[in-house]
């Protein structure tokens, strides 16, 4: 029978590992991710995960290395981190994706130092844009639990074979209790059968050497040609291109099995049918935007929300469709592509450049390093964007507006809005 | 453990035709280590000369499963592999071998190795020490000995002693630590066999002095001779520490007597990397060797072995 529990986001992720019957976990504590590590240790020591090995590594780099190795032994594996710990993993995250390993990893999002912060923003997760992982954001602890389960299905699909991130906001979800339904083990097993590994070094009948030096060109031998680095990397891009469809399929199957859905598994629409203005955001920013949509609708503005769940692969086709009727899109980024603009805003502009209908896209930066994002700030953003919608000067601006930055209080003058 | 030559397995785990340099000591080390561990071995290898040995483009001379990893991660990799084997109940039958160079052990790899050693993860860690970053072009490492010229100590030679990695590993309280040299294949074989027998008892650490013709600057046919001279001069004692107890291996026992040790100049003079050593530098070497044996002798006395 499914169990109703009241859990933090971190504990929901730990329960998902348990439901998925993960065989090897290696993780290193970092605020705000630490309780995931603690909870999994508790499961292991209490004998609730009899088939799981927990490696209490001495760093994040070793955490990801250990699960990358375990995955190559054909085990289902898990790890989690935040911010600087995630950045410390960077090299091996690229290695994991390049090795096409179906591992799943949670990110309890947090701003990247310096200066030191332990509070949430999405800079850490977005900084991992090009490592090759499937990347998803969630808005509730139930969604965190469900998305970890779905991620194993996606990652282990032979059309994909890529590692996956599930990102939830530090503190806002990681340390906040919410009701979470923990599904029955057998039912989870039907949805997520044991891993059938495609890299399996303990298969001594088929001895393999994984990730040797791979030259730029093909290796041409009488026994058969082998790919160069270029072909391997092409296949990674192809896997991403196939993955969107797999994500949708898995979301549908999950809904049929467990009765819960998160939009189409790719994005979650809110009041978009007649919307002229659409907010585009992820995770905590999207959650805050829901209330803002309601408030603005009370004022008679036709506003809706697209909360993006799947960030990589970037669902270009779906987003062209979703924004095909909007006049204006307001993007709230809790991150900065330094020297450019908000990362989501820039990505959306790229995605819609070739669309038949190109709405005006206006991006704002909000809530870096855990700065509270208020409804009033988001309303200010939407109203400013509406007021300046037809102003070409604004559209051609090369600066990016930060909402809620308090320069005047520090004796400085603020540029822009 | 005394192994007769006639008992050594004929089966080779490395096929002929590797990409290692001619005269490379690593091939000898790899060959005898894998013979000792047998076919049920999974090797993980970080950036090192041995990566080259593994071949390019998916064709490999190695007959055991091998997976390559980033420079600093080999011990964590081995720990993860060992955890997976345990989860699958295959940890008794299969052995995990972390096969690193001195950079991947002494320098960039030390954190992961220390962590795994402290946790007691179940694998053999082997360091083939050729005393510099040979694969990237002979740059100095923490293992480079005093006075050696490298491409990053090109004029003055290294002005520091090498790190004492063995002592660092001893401080971790490992069940089995051994030091061997590519001049003594049977010694390598015996030590890897022993390390295999300590399966399930944490990290077993074996360091092999690996000669390097281009990096050390000597003719390729002198590889084995130099690996022997390192031992015969007392510079590189063959020894073990088994569950805390120090054991000097048979070939090195006689060098407890200083008069039996060959002059260190015999080891140094055949190598271009030491061509600039002064008499004063050689004194540093002599003191290093004497101090090393004084410590060994004191410990053997304390153990009641001499």
């Amino acid at each position: 029978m499914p169990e109703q529990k009241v859990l933090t986001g971190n504990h929901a992720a730990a329960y998902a590992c348990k439901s998925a019957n993960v065989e090897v976990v290696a993780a290193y504590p970092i605020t705000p991710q630490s309780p995931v590590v603690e909870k999994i240790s508790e499961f292991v020591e209490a004998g609730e995960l009899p088939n799981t090995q927990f490696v209490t590594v001495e760093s994040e780099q070793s955490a990801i290395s250990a699960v990358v190795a375990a995955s190559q032994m054909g085990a289902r594996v898990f790890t989690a981190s935040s911010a600087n710990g995630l950045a410390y993993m960077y090299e091996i995250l690229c290695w994991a994706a390049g090795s096409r390993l179906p591992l799943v990893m949670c990110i309890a999002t947090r701003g990247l130092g310096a200066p030191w912060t332990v509070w949430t923003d999405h800079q850490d997760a977005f900084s991992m844009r090009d490592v090759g992982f499937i990347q998803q954001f969630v808005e509730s602890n139930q969604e965190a639990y469900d998305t970890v389960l779905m991620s194993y299905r996606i990652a282990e699909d032979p059309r994909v074979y890529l590692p996956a991130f599930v990102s939830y906001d530090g503190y806002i979800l990681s340390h906040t209790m919410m009701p979470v339904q923990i599904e029955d083990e057998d039912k989870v097993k039907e949805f997520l059968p044991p891993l059938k590994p495609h890299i399996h070094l303990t298969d001594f009948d088929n001895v393999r050497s994984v990730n040797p030096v791979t030259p730029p060109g093909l290796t041409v031998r009488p026994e058969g040609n082998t790919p160069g680095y270029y072909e391997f990397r092409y296949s990674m891009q192809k896997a991403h291109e196939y993955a969107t469809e797999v994500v949708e399929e898995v979301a549908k199957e999950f809904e049929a099995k467990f009765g819960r859905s998160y939009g189409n598994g790719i994005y979650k629409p809110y009041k978009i049918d007649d919307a002229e203005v659409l907010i585009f955001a992820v995770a905590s920013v999207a959650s805050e935007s829901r209330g803002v949509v309601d408030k603005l609708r009370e004022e008679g503005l036709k506003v809706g929300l697209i909360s993006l769940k799947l960030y990589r692969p970037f669902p270009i086709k779906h987003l062209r469709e979703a924004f095909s009727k909007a006049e204006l899109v307001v993007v709230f980024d809790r991150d900065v592509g330094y020297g450019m603009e908000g990362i989501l805003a820039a990505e959306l502009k790229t995605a819609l450049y070739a669309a038949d209908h190109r709405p005006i896209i206006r991006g704002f930066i909000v809530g870096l390093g855990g700065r509270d994002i208020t409804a009033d700030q988001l309303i200010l953003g939407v109203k400013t964007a509406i007021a300046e919608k037809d102003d070409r000067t604004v559209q051609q601006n090369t600066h990016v507006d930060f909402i809620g930055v308090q320069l005047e209080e520090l004796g400085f003058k603020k540029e822009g809005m | 453990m005394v192994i007769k030559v006639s008992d050594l397995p004929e089966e080779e785990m490395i096929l002929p035709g590797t990409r290692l340099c001619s005269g490379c000591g690593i091939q000898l080390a790899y060959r005898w280590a894998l013979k000792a561990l047998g076919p049920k071995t999974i090797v993980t290898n970080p950036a090192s000369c041995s990566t080259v040995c593994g071949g390019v483009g998916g064709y490999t001379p190695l007959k055991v499963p091998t997976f390559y990893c980033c420079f600093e991660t080999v011990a964590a990799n081995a720990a993860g592999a060992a955890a997976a084997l345990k989860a699958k109940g295959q940890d008794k039958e299969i052995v995990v071998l972390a096969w690193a160079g001195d950079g991947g052990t002494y320098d960039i790899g030390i954190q992961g190795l220390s962590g795994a050693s402290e946790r007691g993860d179940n694998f053999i860690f082997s360091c083939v020490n050729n005393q510099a970053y040979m694969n990237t072009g002979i740059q100095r490492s923490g293992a480079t000995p005093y006075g050696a010229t490298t491409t990053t100590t090109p004029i003055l030679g290294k002005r520091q002693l090498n790190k004492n990695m063995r002592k660092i590993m001893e401080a971790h309280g490992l069940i089995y630590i051994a030091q061997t040299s590519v001049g003594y294949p049977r010694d390598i074989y015996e030590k890897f066999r022993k390390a295999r027998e300590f399966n399930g008892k944490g990290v077993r650490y074996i360091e092999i002095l690996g000669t390097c013709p281009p990096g050390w600057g000597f003719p390729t046919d002198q590889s084995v001779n130099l690996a022997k001279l390192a031992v015969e001069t007392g510079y590189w004692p063959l020894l073990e520490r088994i569950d805390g107890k120090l054991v000097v291996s048979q070939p090195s026992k006689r060098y407890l007597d200083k008069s039996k040790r060959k002059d260190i100049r015999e080891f140094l003079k055949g190598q271009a990397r030491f061509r600039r050593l002064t008499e004063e530098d050689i004194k540093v070497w002599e003191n290093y060797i004497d101090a090393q044996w004084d410590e060994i002798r004191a410990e053997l006395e304390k153990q009641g072995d001499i």
Side-chain angles (χ1 to χ4, degrees):
Chain A
M1 280 297 286
E3 256 186 289
Q4 291 291 340
K5 289 185 180 289
V6 179
L7 298 175
T8 62
N10 281 328
H11 285 183
Y15 272 96
C17 285
K18 193 174 173 216
S19 297
N21 234 319
V22 168
E23 293 164 285
V24 176
V25 180
Y28 186 74
I30 182 168
T31 304
Q33 156 268 31
S34 307
V36 191
V37 184
E38 294 165 358
K39 195 70 188 170
I40 296 171
S41 314
E42 193 185 309
F43 288 147
V44 172
E45 287 200 2
E48 290 178 46
L49 275 173
N51 303 317
T52 305
Q53 291 293 313
F54 186 99
V55 190
T56 49
V57 284
E58 78 301 325
S59 72
E60 286 88 357
Q61 198 179 50
S62 288
I64 185 71
S65 300
V67 296
V68 158
S71 181
Q72 288 175 87
M73 301 300 126
R76 185 175 280 160
V77 301
F78 178 83
T79 188
S81 195
S82 299
N84 293 54
L86 181 68
Y88 191 32
M89 290 182 173
Y90 185 86
E91 181 191 18
I92 322 300
L93 296 172
C94 300
W95 198 269
S99 311
R100 307 295 297 274
L101 299 171
L103 63 91
V104 175
M105 164 166 183
C106 281
I107 302 172
T109 63
R110 157 180 164 177
L112 278 164
W116 271 126
T117 175
V118 293
W119 295 278
T120 190
D121 69 33
H122 302 143
Q123 194 72 34
D124 56 354
F126 279 127
S127 295
M128 299 299 140
R129 190 185 69 176
D130 298 330
V131 296
F133 273 53
I134 304 281
Q135 302 182 34
Q136 299 154 100
F137 288 87
V138 303
E139 286 184 72
S140 74
N141 297 349
Q142 182 74 61
E143 190 180 358
Y145 172 86
D146 294 347
T147 305
V148 169
L149 295 183
M150 286 190 269
S151 293
Y152 279 109
R153 271 290 302 274
I154 298 161
E156 293 170 8
D157 190 296
R159 290 167 288 177
V160 180
Y161 285 143
L162 286 169
F165 287 133
V166 179
S167 297
Y168 49 85
D169 276 79
Y171 292 115
I172 294 174
L173 293 188
S174 74
H175 285 64
T176 305
M177 304 266 238
M178 292 178 179
V180 178
Q181 178 158 317
I182 304 301
E183 296 296 343
D184 177 64
E185 203 180 307
D186 292 334
K187 204 167 160 190
V188 173
K189 217 169 253 169
E190 286 165 21
F191 173 75
L192 179 65
L195 169 66
K196 287 197 205 88
H198 71 123
I199 298 178
H200 191 6
L201 286 175
T202 63
D203 176 8
F204 282 87
D205 296 329
N206 181 21
V207 169
R208 289 207 277 181
S209 171
V210 180
N211 291 324
V213 178
T214 303
L218 303 188
T219 300
V220 179
R221 296 262 300 227
E223 303 93 324
N225 300 345
T226 59
Y229 180 90
Y230 202 31
E231 284 72 27
F232 280 116
R233 290 284 156 161
Y234 167 82
S235 81
M236 250 171 89
Q237 168 65 14
K238 282 291 152 198
H240 269 277
E241 289 171 11
Y242 299 141
T244 319
E245 196 183 311
V246 177
V247 171
E248 259 185 308
E249 275 175 31
V250 170
K252 270 187 203 138
E253 218 182 294
F254 188 89
E255 185 182 4
K257 190 102 197 150
F258 301 106
R260 286 186 298 278
S261 63
Y262 303 94
N264 49 8
I266 289 167
Y267 65 81
K268 292 161 274 181
Y270 184 64
K271 300 192 176 171
I272 65 163
D273 287 345
D274 62 339
E276 290 160 4
V277 180
L278 283 175
I279 298 173
F280 186 53
V282 299
S284 56
V285 190
S287 303
E288 187 70 32
S289 300
R290 280 201 176 73
V292 166
V293 167
D294 292 342
K295 278 194 187 166
L296 290 171
R297 281 200 171 249
E298 280 168 23
E299 293 179 27
L301 292 169
K302 288 184 176 169
V303 181
L305 165 74
I306 298 287
S307 166
L308 188 69
K309 181 173 172 66
L310 180 67
Y311 171 65
R312 274 294 181 275
F314 202 64
I316 298 171
K317 195 184 85 176
H318 292 79
L319 294 178
R320 283 184 189 153
E321 176 75 33
F323 292 110
S324 63
K325 288 189 204 99
E327 284 174 39
L328 172 67
V329 183
V330 187
V331 187
F332 291 113
D333 267 287
R334 204 167 198 170
D335 57 83
V336 190
Y338 287 97
M340 184 62 177
E341 60 178 320
I343 293 165
L344 264 186
E347 300 264 296
L348 187 66
K349 285 177 185 175
T350 307
L352 300 191
Y353 183 75
D356 291 333
H357 167 74
R358 274 187 288 184
I360 300 289
I361 300 174
R362 177 75 185 270
F364 296 100
I365 307 298
V366 291
L368 299 184
R371 178 70 58 90
D372 195 23
I373 300 171
T374 64
D376 286 347
Q377 287 174 356
L378 299 183
I379 288 169
L380 175 70
V382 174
K383 286 189 172 170
T384 306
I386 292 171
E388 296 174 351
K389 179 166 72 81
D390 300 316
D391 186 338
R392 289 294 289 162
T393 330
V394 170
Q395 286 165 29
Q396 288 172 348
N397 268 342
T398 52
H399 73 263
V400 56
D401 292 315
F402 282 52
I403 298 179
V405 71
Q406 292 176 288
L407 290 182
E408 288 83 357
E409 290 84 338
L410 294 166
F412 296 103
K413 196 178 162 290
K414 189 176 159 190
E415 254 180 55
M417 68 160 281
Chain B
M1 188 193 306
V2 181
I3 309 268
K4 283 191 247 147
V5 174
S6 56
D7 291 341
L8 295 172
E10 283 184 36
E11 193 188 355
E12 299 290 350
M13 303 319 273
I14 306 183
L15 297 166
T18 73
R19 287 172 179 259
L20 290 166
C21 305
S22 112
C24 176
I26 293 174
Q27 177 135 0
L28 277 170
Y30 221 167
R31 180 182 175 205
W32 288 97
L34 289 179
K35 265 185 192 269
L37 298 179
K40 284 286 175 78
T41 304
I42 296 176
V43 180
T44 177
N45 176 224
S48 62
C49 292
S50 300
T51 317
V52 178
C53 176
V56 298
Y59 286 98
T60 176
L62 296 168
K63 285 165 73 181
V64 293
T66 318
F67 64 117
Y68 296 90
C69 63
C70 296
F71 211 164
E72 69 288 9
T73 65
V74 69
N77 240 50
L85 294 181
K86 181 130 201 229
K88 291 173 176 300
Q90 294 175 299
D91 53 317
K92 292 199 173 54
E93 154 205 10
I94 301 171
V95 66
V96 177
L97 172 65
W99 185 261
D102 48 292
T105 306
Y106 282 58
D107 293 346
I108 196 169
I110 195 169
Q111 175 182 312
L113 174 56
S114 174
S117 299
E118 179 270 327
R119 292 189 299 272
D121 293 329
N122 184 26
F123 61 89
I124 299 171
F125 190 103
S126 171
C127 167
V128 185
N129 179 1
N130 55 17
Q131 304 197 318
Y133 290 90
M134 298 311 185
N135 196 36
T136 46
I138 322 168
Q139 294 84 16
R140 128 203 232 290
S141 80
T144 303
Y146 179 81
T149 51
T150 65
T151 52
T152 51
T153 52
I155 296 162
L156 301 175
K158 185 172 164 179
R159 301 326 291 168
Q160 301 82 23
L161 295 177
N162 51 280
K163 197 183 276 186
N164 193 331
M165 194 65 200
R166 175 164 59 86
K167 277 197 183 167
I168 294 172
M169 297 318 292
E170 284 170 352
H172 285 79
L174 300 184
I175 186 82
Y176 187 73
I177 294 167
Q179 193 161 289
T180 181
S181 153
V182 298
Y184 301 81
R186 195 156 59 166
D187 191 65
I188 298 176
Y189 181 86
E190 283 174 8
K191 284 170 178 168
F192 276 86
R193 279 286 299 272
K194 260 188 223 175
R196 177 83 174 83
E197 279 163 24
F198 285 113
N199 189 27
K201 295 190 172 167
V203 172
R204 287 87 75 198
Y205 178 82
I206 301 179
E207 184 162 337
I208 312 163
L209 183 68
T211 41
C212 175
W216 294 11
F218 63 82
T220 55
D221 63 358
Q222 289 306 303
S223 217
V224 170
N225 283 345
L226 274 171
K228 283 190 168 158
L229 273 172
V231 174
E232 290 162 358
T233 53
Y235 163 56
W236 190 265
L238 307 183
L239 47 79
E240 293 167 300
R241 186 173 288 280
I242 306 169
D243 205 3
K245 192 171 182 293
L246 181 68
V247 181
V248 177
S249 311
Q250 196 57 39
S252 275
K253 267 192 182 144
R254 56 193 270 111
Y255 306 118
L256 270 164
D257 178 352
K258 188 177 172 178
S259 68
K260 298 221 168 84
R261 293 177 215 153
K262 287 185 178 167
D263 189 332
I264 188 59
R265 286 171 186 80
E266 288 193 39
F267 173 67
L268 300 172
K269 75 181 178 199
Q271 303 175 52
R273 61 176 175 158
F274 295 125
R275 69 182 176 276
R276 292 204 183 95
L277 287 195
T278 60
E279 272 308 305
E280 223 171 286
D281 291 332
I282 290 171
K283 198 90 211 137
V284 175
W285 274 80
E286 286 171 343
N287 291 341
Y288 177 91
I289 294 166
D290 288 347
Q292 174 170 259
W293 282 102
D294 286 349
E295 261 185 57
I296 291 171
R297 169 173 290 283
E299 187 153 4
L300 292 179
E301 277 169 2
K302 208 169 132 199
Q303 287 175 178
D305 291 336
I306 48 173

